Amino acid sequence: MDSYDKVLLVEDKEYNMLFLQEALANYPLQLISAYDGLEAIEKVKENPDIKLVLMDVKMPKLDGYQSAKIIREYNSEIKIIAQTAYALEQEIEHFSDSFDEYLIKPISKDKLARVISKYVNI
């Protein structure tokens, strides 16, 4: 399993986390889960070989924007995709330094696969 790309799933809603885990289960990925921004930062510190983060924007403790900024301080090469139901054009432009791409909720399995395949081998 070490040869699989590591993907960090950051989502505070259990239903959404289960969807992501199920949608990605059949791909050759090592999935790591975090349920808030602070936990996400710790997971990145513990796993410097994470290639991709799927980051919910609206979370308790520390939101996705702040979490992404801190994660980039530890790993400037990591790819971070925002997951949000609230992406306005000006919001996307304003936070383009934090995120490589946005997925707008609800996310389809096909769209999820297309977007992450740009960053990891699936």
Side-chain angles (χ1 to χ4, degrees), residues 31-87:
L31 302 177
I32 301 168
S33 301
Y35 293 89
D36 62 59
L38 294 176
E39 186 180 3
I41 293 164
E42 289 306 311
K43 296 287 184 176
V44 169
K45 288 180 185 178
E46 294 167 4
N47 298 276
D49 54 343
I50 289 174
K51 287 188 81 172
L52 176 67
V53 178
L54 289 171
M55 177 79 72
D56 185 24
V57 173
K58 190 176 179 188
M59 291 184 296
K61 297 186 183 176
L62 193 63
D63 69 36
Y65 298 121
Q66 295 302 315
S67 302
K69 284 176 70 172
I70 294 168
I71 286 169
R72 291 224 188 267
E73 292 174 12
Y74 291 100
N75 182 343
S76 61
E77 300 298 313
I78 201 166
K79 300 300 180 189
I80 305 174
I81 299 173
Q83 307 170 75
T84 181
Y86 312 104

